[in-house]
Amino acid sequence: QKEVEQNSGPLSVPEGAIASLNCTYSDRGSQSFFWYRQYSGKSPELIMSIYSNGDKEDGRFTAQLNKASQYVSLLIRDSQPSDSATYLCAVKPGANSKLTFGKGITLSVRP
Amino acid sequence: GAGVSQSPSNKVTEKGKDVELRCDPISGHTALYWYRQRLGQGLEFLIYFQGNSAPDKSGLPSDRFSAERTGESVSTLTIQRTQQEDSAVYLCASRGIPDTQYFGPGTRLTVL
């Protein structure tokens, strides 16, 4: 059983639209949740972290966490072609637990 | 401040040779990870070091792979008797406080 699941994608949205990226996880006790962005040929870079139920906003990005449903999502408002990348969801069950990544979903923003 | 660094950035080797990849984590980061990423694929966890605890080696694909880390400093990933299927980008990441993990630029390994 996979621990962190993401929609297989790819996801294509027009410029200016809202992109919605979803992730589910299996360990109900998980405490920390992260979204990474990876451009082709580059390393993953952290874009959002969230620890509490609800929404966390940072510029055009909003992370949403629902621990009861074991679900974390990333919304990208006013999507830009520069947002085209692979987005990786990552979950850390406990304080000294290793971070577990989903397989990622590729987002393409059409001009 | 400096981020995670890795060396070499590129390594081309012949099948059967041994290679050693190096990772310099962010100073003070207690956790260090190695991942492998084949072309067009997701991150494949290899090994995890957390402070002075025994490393989590559950992701190492075979006994040809090994890694060491002394304290909270440099880590080396060694691949013995390389095979063509070992060709990939090897990524190192470190994590400290707050609970955020940063990746190095990776080493691109090509086995001919």
Side-chain angles (χ1 to χ4, degrees):
Chain A
Q1 180 183 3
K2 293 183 180 178
E3 297 179 11
V4 180
E5 294 262 15
Q6 295 183 247
N7 292 345
S8 58
L11 176 65
S12 180
V13 300
E15 184 173 356
I18 296 175
S20 178
L21 312 176
N22 304 317
C23 174
T24 57
Y25 59 95
S26 61
D27 187 334
R28 183 171 290 277
S30 296
Q31 301 178 1
S32 309
F33 308 86
F34 307 88
W35 282 98
Y36 284 80
R37 176 177 62 199
Q38 186 175 25
Y39 291 115
S40 180
K42 301 294 186 182
S43 298
E45 58 177 327
L46 179 68
I47 53 172
M48 290 286 285
S49 59
I50 187 166
Y51 304 95
S52 304
N53 278 328
D55 295 359
K56 178 181 178 182
E57 186 175 317
D58 184 1
R60 295 186 295 111
F61 297 95
T62 299
Q64 299 177 316
L65 176 61
N66 184 326
K67 290 186 179 180
S69 299
Q70 295 174 239
Y71 176 94
V72 56
S73 64
L74 180 70
L75 301 178
I76 306 174
R77 290 182 301 282
D78 187 25
S79 296
Q80 301 297 309
S82 59
D83 295 326
S84 297
T86 296
Y87 289 80
L88 300 161
C89 173
V91 176
K92 192 162 80 72
N96 289 324
S97 303
K98 70 174 185 277
L99 201 58
T100 299
F101 283 85
K103 290 198 175 297
I105 183 169
T106 299
L107 171 68
S108 176
V109 180
R110 308 186 301 271
Chain B
V4 179
S5 62
Q6 292 185 246
S7 60
S9 55
N10 280 284
K11 176 71 176 179
V12 180
T13 190
E14 294 179 348
K15 178 181 174 180
K17 301 284 188 184
D18 297 351
V19 296
E20 189 173 279
L21 312 180
R22 176 186 170 107
C23 172
D24 283 85
I26 294 172
S27 178
H29 278 195
T30 59
L32 186 147
Y33 299 77
W34 284 98
Y35 298 90
R36 179 169 69 180
Q37 190 169 37
R38 293 194 168 106
L39 188 63
Q41 303 297 310
L43 293 174
E44 180 183 1
F45 165 75
L46 297 178
I47 189 168
Y48 165 52
F49 296 90
Q50 172 61 58
N52 294 319
S53 301
D56 178 349
K57 303 180 182 180
S58 61
L60 295 178
S62 76
D63 59 7
R64 295 188 297 105
F65 288 73
S66 62
E68 293 183 350
R69 186 185 189 198
T70 303
E72 296 179 358
S73 62
V74 169
S75 175
T76 55
L77 176 69
T78 301
I79 309 173
Q80 296 178 310
R81 305 181 302 281
T82 52
Q83 304 294 312
Q84 289 182 331
E85 63 262 28
D86 299 335
S87 296
V89 174
Y90 289 81
L91 290 163
C92 174
S94 72
R95 189 184 81 230
I97 297 173
D99 194 18
T100 49
Q101 180 165 312
Y102 298 95
F103 284 83
T107 293
R108 182 174 299 277
L109 175 65
T110 302
V111 182
L112 301 177

